[in-house]
Amino acid sequence: MKTEVGQRQDLAVDGLVPSTTMSPASVAAAAADLGRCYEEGLAVIPQGGRTQIGMGAVPHRYDVAFSTTGLSRLLEHEPADLTCRVEAGMRLGALQAVLHLHGQRLPLDPPHPEEATVGGLLAANTNGLGRGRHGTVRDWVIGVTVLYPVGNPARVARAGGKVVKNVAGYDLMKLHIGALGTLGVIAEVNFKVQTLPEASADMLAWFDTPAAALRCGHGLALGYLLPAAMAVLNREALGQCGVTAPRPWVLAARLEGYQAEVAAARDRVAAAAREAGGQVEEPAPMFWDAARGWPAAPAPAVVLRAATSLTGVPRLVDAIGTDASVMAQPGVGVVQVRPLPGMAEPVVNRLREALGPGGSVVVERAPAAEKASLDVWGPPPAGFALMRGLKASLDPRGVLNPGRFVGGI
Amino acid sequence: MEAAARTRLLDRLREVVGDRYTLADPYEIRLYQYDSSPETALPDLVVIPASAAEVAAVVKICAEEGCPLVSRAGATGLAGGTVPVFGGVVLAFSRMDRVLELDYENLRAVVEPGLVNLALSNATRPRGYYYVPDPSSQGASTIGGNVATNAGGPHTLLYGVTVNHVTGLELALPSGELVEVGGGRAAETTGYDLTGLVVGSEGTMAVVTKVWVKLTAVPPQSKTLMAIYPDVRSAGNAVSAVVGSGILPAAIEMMDNISIRAIEAAVHAGYPTDAGAVLLLEVDGLPDVVQQLTERMVAICRQHGATEVRVAKDEAERQALWRGRKGAFSAMGRISTDFYVMDGVVPRTRLPELLDQIERISQRSGYRIANVFHAGDGNVHPLVLFDAFQPGQYEEVLKIGDEILKLCADAGGSITGEHGIGLEKRENMRYIFSEDDLAVMDQVRRVFDPDRRMNPGKLFPTDGAEPPRIHAVRGQRAAARGSITGEEPWI
C-alpha cells in the first residue's frame, strides 16, 4: 500500500516518516499485514488516535504506520454484567458515549478522549487525574487479544477473558499496558466498567506555598473519603488551564460518590484546606476539562512525568523551582511538569537527583532534537534483562517500535 | 533424582539454611506432600529458609543441580498448586512471616511472603488501615500464596483482587539472582509491568521473597444484611436488581440450602435452615450513607421475593454472618465425608442458567452439589459431595467438575476465578485458551525459566502425560478400602 507524501507527514513520529501505511479492518487482516512486516523485517509503529505518539525515544527505524482505527467496533456490552469487549481502534469517547447511555463509564480520564483509542490507552498507559480513587488502566482491563509478529500471518493470542474475576493463565494484559506497543499489536480489549457516580463536586483551595497545598492533599489521601481526583498546580499551570490565580498555588479536588458522601467529602476538604491556610472556592466549570488535557500540551512543549511515593512529592516539587509549570498529584505520587522553554534539561536533572529509590522521571513529550540530550526514560529499571528477554521472545525480529522503549528496546 | 545427586544437593542446602531447616527424613518430608487439594506427591527435600538471601542461595543451588523447585507457605491451595509432582526441593516459607515495614504515610506495607493474610490487617487496623483482599482462607493463607494465585475473596467485588493491591515484588529468579520489580512505594516505574505479570503466575516464573502492598483506610462503618429466599433463582434476581440499582455493595454472597444446613450445623451463624437460599450483602462507608444504602437494599430484596431480611444489628452479629460464609467449605464435613470444591466464573447474567444446569447434573449423577458463591461477580463454588471410601466416586466427581467448568467456559466465563489452575485444571485450560494463547504464555514463562523448573507440571496442559509422582490421596484411599497408603519417599 503506497501513501501520498502529504499523508506521510501526518504520520510522522519524531520527524521520521513511514514508507507504507496499513489500516486493516479486521483482526484477520491485521494478522496478515503484521505477518508481512515480520517477513520483510519492516519497522512498524502501531497507532490509533496518535494522542500519545510523542511518547518514547526517537525510533531507530520507521517503515510502516500501522493504524488500528479500522478496528473500531464495539463487540459486546452486556450492561448487567458491567463488562464490554471492544476493538482496539475504538475511540474512548465513543465507548464512553455508549456506556453513558446505560448509566455506566470506564473511570479512566486521559487527555483527548474523543481522539484517543482504547488500544493506545493501554499501550501508553495514559491515566488521568482520577487514578487516586479509581486506579489505573491495569485495574480495568480484564482481557486482551494481541497480534504477535512471530510468523506470517502474525500469531493472534488472547489472555484473560470476559469476566470480572478470572485467574486462568498468565495475566498478559499487564505486560502490554504501558509497553508502548513494543511486544505486540493490541487488537481487542475487554474492560470491566463502573456505574456512574450518583453525585460529584469540584473544589479549589488557594495556597501561598506548595508545601501547604501538598500537605493538605496528602492528608486527604490518607483518610477514608479520598477524593476521586486531586491535583496541586502552580500559577503557571493554572494559567495554562485558563484560570487566573489569586494565590500562587492551588489544590483542586473532584469528589464523587453517593450524594451524602459527596456532601461530607466537601465539608471535609473545605475544613482541611482552611486549616492548612487555604482559601476555598468552586472552580469554573471548564477547569477539569482543561486540567485533563494539560499534560498533552502541543509541540514544541516538553512534558515530564515523575513518579515517586506520596511523601516524595514535596521534595520533587521543591526541586523543580520556578522554571516550570507544575501539576502534582499528592494522593498518587505523580508530578507532571512543563519546563519553561530552554529549561528542560536542568529541570530533568534536578528531578532525577531529588528522586529517591524507586520511582522514575520520564520525558513524555519533547521535540525530537531534544530527546537525545534528555534521556527520555532515564536509567533502565531493575529486572531490565527480563524485559529484554520478553522483547526478544515476543518480537524476535524487532519489528515493533524499534528503539522507542526503555533501555533502547 | 539419583542418590548421589540428592546427597550432594542435601549437603549444599544444609550449608545455606542449616541442618535444622533442611528436611530429608522421610517422616518429615511426608508432611510437605499435601496442600488442600486431593492430590499428593513427595518432594525429595524440603528447606525452610529464613531470609531472601537464603532463598536466593537455595534457588541458585537448584539451578546448578537442575532440580525442580516448588514454593509453599500456608498450603491452603485448592488446586494442587504446591504439590511437588516432579519431586525436587520444596521451599517452605513458614519462617519468612514478618511484617518488614508499615509505612502509613505512603499507604504501603512491606511483608515477607509467609505472612498470614489476616495478620497484616490485624497489625494495621489499630491505625485505621487494612489490606483489602480477604480470601476465605485469610486466617491461614499467606500473602505469598495470595500473590501466586492472585487470590480474591468476598470483598473483591468493589475493591479488586490481589494484583490490584500489590505494587512491587522482590523475586529470586530461577538463576538465583534477586531483583526488585515494580514501583514499591512509588506510583509507578518504567519498563514492563513485571509485578502484574508475576502475580497469579502460580510460582512458575520466580520465587517471591518480598511483597509491597497497598494499605487502605478502613471504612467508618460496614453493614451486612442477610436476605432469605425460597429458592436460588429468586435470590439471583435480587442480586441483579441490586447491581442494576446503582448501589455498589462491597460484597454480595449467596449460599443455597445444602450449604446453609452445613454451615448451621458447624458454626451456628444464624442462617435459617429451611431457606432455599440466603444472600449476604454488605455496604460500607459513612454511617449516613450506609444507613441509606441498607434501607434501599432491604427494599429491593423484599421487592424481589425475600421472605425476610435481617440487618446485622451489631458487629458481633455481622461477624457471625461472615463466619458462616467464610467457614462454608469446612462446614461441609458436617454433611459429607468428602467434598470437591469447584471455582468457576460466568458473566453475572448467566448465573441462573448455570445454577439450573448444575442442579440437573446433580439430579442425573445422584451427587449432591452445594453452592456457595460470590454472586456479585459471577464466581461460583459448587461443592460436589461424595464419599472417597466408595471406589470410583472420586473419579466420577472429577468428571462432574470438568463438566461444570465446561459449562462456565461455554457461557463466556472462566475455569477459575480465584483458586488458580494448579495441577487440577491444567487440562481444562483448553476450554478457554487456544494453542496460540498457550504458546505465548509458555514463551513468556521461558523468558524467566527456560528449563521450566519452577513449579513444573502446573498451570499448562500436559495432554495426559502424568507427572511422575502424582497420586490422589482420596482415590488411593478408596482403592485401599480405607487405609491411607503413600509411596515410600524416595531415598
Side-chain angles (χ1 to χ4, degrees):
Chain A
M1 219 179 300
K2 289 272 183 243
T3 325
E4 297 305 316
V5 175
Q7 275 181 329
R8 285 185 207 165
Q9 290 302 329
D10 295 345
L11 300 171
V13 175
D14 290 333
L16 276 68
V17 290
S19 53
T20 308
T21 58
M22 293 179 175
S23 187
S26 70
V27 173
D33 284 349
L34 187 62
R36 206 187 102 203
C37 298
Y38 165 82
E39 204 155 272
E40 297 176 16
L42 301 174
V44 178
I45 297 190
Q47 46 204 285
R50 292 177 58 90
T51 60
Q52 301 291 336
I53 202 76
M55 269 184 82
V58 177
H60 294 163
R61 299 183 293 133
Y62 181 17
D63 299 314
V64 180
F66 195 99
S67 173
T68 59
T69 51
L71 301 168
S72 59
R73 292 173 303 164
L74 173 67
L75 299 170
E76 289 177 54
H77 172 225
E78 179 52 71
D81 289 331
L82 294 167
T83 58
C84 66
R85 185 164 77 93
V86 301
E87 288 183 332
M90 186 171 192
R91 312 282 173 174
L92 179 64
L95 174 59
Q96 298 284 32
V98 175
L99 296 173
H100 285 181
L101 288 178
H102 298 276
Q104 300 177 352
R105 70 173 180 181
L106 190 59
L108 300 170
D109 195 21
H112 305 306
E114 297 308 319
E115 295 298 316
T117 59
V118 301
L121 185 70
L122 267 68
N125 191 19
T126 324
N127 292 292
L129 294 166
R131 61 184 284 179
R133 174 139 172 189
H134 300 301
T136 61
V137 176
R138 96 202 265 275
D139 298 307
W140 296 93
V141 176
I142 56 175
V144 283
T145 303
V146 177
L147 311 173
Y148 296 94
V150 294
N152 186 12
R155 175 178 266 157
V156 182
R158 291 178 311 117
K162 299 194 296 180
V163 282
V164 298
K165 207 165 164 194
N166 184 3
V167 297
Y170 290 156
D171 189 344
L172 301 185
M173 292 78 85
K174 303 292 185 291
L175 207 46
H176 294 284
I177 293 168
L180 208 66
T182 53
L183 295 176
V185 177
I186 299 167
E188 288 176 15
V189 185
N190 305 345
F191 290 106
K192 61 176 177 176
V193 302
Q194 188 188 58
T195 305
L196 283 168
E198 197 175 274
S200 67
D202 297 333
M203 302 177 74
L204 295 182
W206 302 103
F207 291 90
D208 291 325
T209 66
L214 292 169
R215 200 165 45 240
C216 179
H218 183 209
L220 290 167
L222 299 182
Y224 172 70
L225 279 177
L226 176 69
M230 262 197 296
V232 169
L233 293 80
N234 65 1
R235 185 173 270 153
E236 291 71 20
L238 207 63
Q240 286 156 347
C241 292
V243 177
T244 312
R247 292 210 223 167
W249 291 85
V250 71
L251 168 68
R254 164 159 283 187
L255 314 169
E256 288 179 352
Y258 303 108
Q259 300 273 5
E261 217 169 38
V262 170
R266 209 178 186 135
D267 294 345
R268 176 165 174 258
V269 172
R274 286 196 187 100
E275 196 178 322
Q279 168 196 335
V280 181
E281 68 171 74
E282 308 263 313
M286 298 309 290
F287 169 74
W288 281 102
D289 288 336
R292 179 195 300 118
W294 183 86
V302 174
V303 181
L304 315 174
R305 173 186 187 81
T308 181
S309 60
L310 301 187
T311 52
V313 172
R315 198 169 57 239
L316 291 190
V317 171
D318 264 358
I320 295 163
T322 55
D323 298 329
S325 351
V326 178
M327 182 184 285
Q329 297 179 56
V332 172
V334 166
V335 182
Q336 284 164 299
V337 186
R338 280 165 56 176
L340 296 176
M343 296 310 293
E345 204 170 331
V347 172
V348 168
N349 291 340
R350 291 202 297 261
L351 280 170
R352 287 192 172 137
E353 274 164 33
L355 200 65
S360 56
V361 177
V362 172
V363 180
E364 275 202 325
R365 285 167 187 256
E370 284 188 55
K371 281 189 173 180
S373 63
L374 291 176
D375 185 5
V376 169
W377 295 103
F384 182 66
L386 289 168
M387 296 178 194
R388 233 175 8 209
L390 288 163
K391 173 69 175 177
S393 176
L394 299 175
D395 177 17
R397 292 191 181 170
V399 301
L400 290 170
N401 276 314
R404 284 181 79 201
F405 200 52
V406 178
I409 284 178
Chain B
M1 194 178 289
E2 290 177 15
R6 183 175 183 267
T7 307
R8 189 175 61 236
L9 184 60
L10 179 58
D11 288 345
R12 295 189 66 184
L13 294 175
R14 278 184 170 148
E15 272 180 42
V16 174
V17 290
D19 286 0
R20 187 172 168 203
Y21 298 109
T22 311
L23 312 182
D25 179 272
Y27 178 75
E28 287 182 318
I29 65 173
R30 186 164 286 199
L31 299 173
Y32 294 86
Q33 66 181 329
Y34 301 93
D35 58 12
S36 300
S37 76
E39 315 286 352
T40 68
L42 281 169
D44 288 294
L45 298 167
V46 176
V47 292
I48 312 173
S51 66
E54 285 189 12
V55 173
V58 168
V59 175
K60 186 157 190 287
I61 289 168
C62 288
E64 287 161 3
E65 302 285 340
C67 172
L69 198 61
V70 180
S71 302
R72 84 179 236 148
T76 57
L78 293 160
T82 61
V83 177
V85 288
F86 279 80
V89 171
V90 162
L91 264 171
F93 278 88
S94 35
R95 294 169 70 207
M96 288 177 64
D97 62 350
R98 292 174 300 166
V99 174
L100 298 174
E101 225 173 312
L102 296 175
D103 183 353
Y104 296 105
E105 292 290 298
N106 285 308
L107 298 174
R108 293 289 186 276
V110 190
V111 306
E112 288 184 324
L115 178 72
V116 168
N117 172 303
L118 192 57
L120 177 54
S121 291
N122 285 347
T124 59
R125 269 186 193 273
R127 290 282 298 269
Y129 295 91
Y130 72 133
Y131 172 65
V132 173
D134 65 334
S136 294
S137 59
Q138 71 180 151
S141 68
T142 62
I143 303 284
N146 294 169
V147 165
T149 56
N150 191 14
H155 291 83
T156 60
L157 176 62
L158 186 55
Y159 296 107
V161 295
T162 300
V163 72
N164 308 111
H165 298 270
V166 172
T167 62
L169 297 171
E170 181 186 70
L171 303 172
L173 300 180
S175 61
E177 186 195 347
L178 276 180
V179 294
E180 281 182 17
V181 300
R185 281 178 184 74
E188 56 197 44
T189 183
T190 56
Y192 303 134
D193 180 4
L194 300 180
T195 306
L197 180 65
V198 168
V199 174
S201 64
E202 302 193 31
T204 60
M205 290 182 186
V207 180
V208 173
T209 52
K210 200 190 281 184
V211 188
W212 282 256
V213 300
K214 289 183 192 170
L215 296 175
T216 302
V218 177
Q221 194 180 69
S222 295
K223 208 155 216 170
T224 305
L225 66 84
M226 173 173 65
I228 300 161
Y229 288 89
D231 52 60
V232 168
R233 186 168 272 273
S234 53
N237 291 337
V239 171
S240 298
V242 169
V243 172
S245 74
I247 299 174
L248 301 169
I252 307 180
E253 301 286 306
M254 199 194 295
M255 285 148 283
D256 70 359
N257 177 265
I258 302 177
S259 312
I260 293 166
R261 280 186 289 137
I263 291 164
E264 275 312 294
V267 299
H268 314 294
Y271 301 167
T273 53
D274 57 345
V278 297
L279 282 183
L280 291 188
L281 294 133
E282 182 162 290
V283 283
D284 56 30
L286 300 173
D288 286 357
V289 176
V290 167
Q291 186 57 37
Q292 283 174 20
L293 295 179
T294 305
E295 285 165 15
R296 279 169 65 189
M297 289 197 306
V298 169
I300 294 170
C301 287
R302 291 214 170 102
Q303 276 159 26
H304 287 81
T307 53
E308 196 187 335
V309 184
R310 295 182 202 159
V311 180
K313 64 177 188 302
D314 54 27
E315 186 59 21
E317 234 180 77
R318 174 174 169 262
Q319 289 300 340
L321 290 176
W322 279 108
R323 203 160 47 244
R325 167 59 189 90
K326 293 196 173 182
F329 291 1
S330 44
M332 293 300 152
R334 292 296 180 123
I335 58 170
S336 179
T337 55
D338 295 271
F339 62 93
Y340 183 60
V341 184
M342 315 287 311
D343 173 38
V345 191
V346 291
R348 179 176 30 236
T349 48
R350 307 292 292 271
L351 268 178
E353 178 188 332
L354 178 73
L355 293 170
D356 285 349
Q357 288 165 324
I358 291 173
E359 173 60 24
R360 280 201 291 279
I361 291 172
S362 171
Q363 281 168 9
R364 187 199 69 214
S365 65
Y367 289 99
R368 288 182 297 165
I369 304 178
N371 284 294
V372 178
F373 53 96
H374 310 299
D377 41 33
N379 185 193
V380 295
H381 295 308
L383 299 136
V384 188
L385 309 183
F386 72 106
D387 179 357
F389 290 93
Q390 299 299 319
Q393 284 207 357
Y394 177 64
E395 290 73 15
E396 283 178 12
V397 165
L398 291 184
K399 288 206 183 82
I400 290 173
D402 287 341
E403 196 179 343
I404 292 174
L405 292 182
K406 188 76 171 61
L407 290 171
C408 293
D410 291 347
S414 174
I415 56 172
T416 174
E418 53 187 3
H419 296 173
I421 298 295
L423 201 53
E424 180 192 40
K425 285 177 279 205
R426 290 169 303 167
E427 308 303 334
N428 307 121
M429 284 285 275
R430 294 196 187 282
Y431 294 171
I432 51 173
F433 292 120
S434 71
E435 212 51 56
D436 281 324
D437 302 340
L438 294 169
V440 171
M441 290 180 196
D442 186 55
Q443 275 177 276
V444 169
R445 175 202 203 157
R446 283 185 292 124
V447 169
F448 285 78
D449 181 18
D451 309 321
R452 303 187 184 95
R453 269 188 314 104
M454 311 301 276
N455 207 7
K458 310 291 169 58
L459 213 149
F460 293 100
T462 52
D463 298 309
E466 281 295 299
R469 297 195 180 184
I470 184 174
H471 69 263
V473 67
R474 290 187 180 123
Q476 286 285 319
R477 215 156 78 193
R481 294 187 186 282
S483 69
I484 294 174
T485 66
E487 291 167 359
E488 279 311 303
W490 188 97
I491 293 183

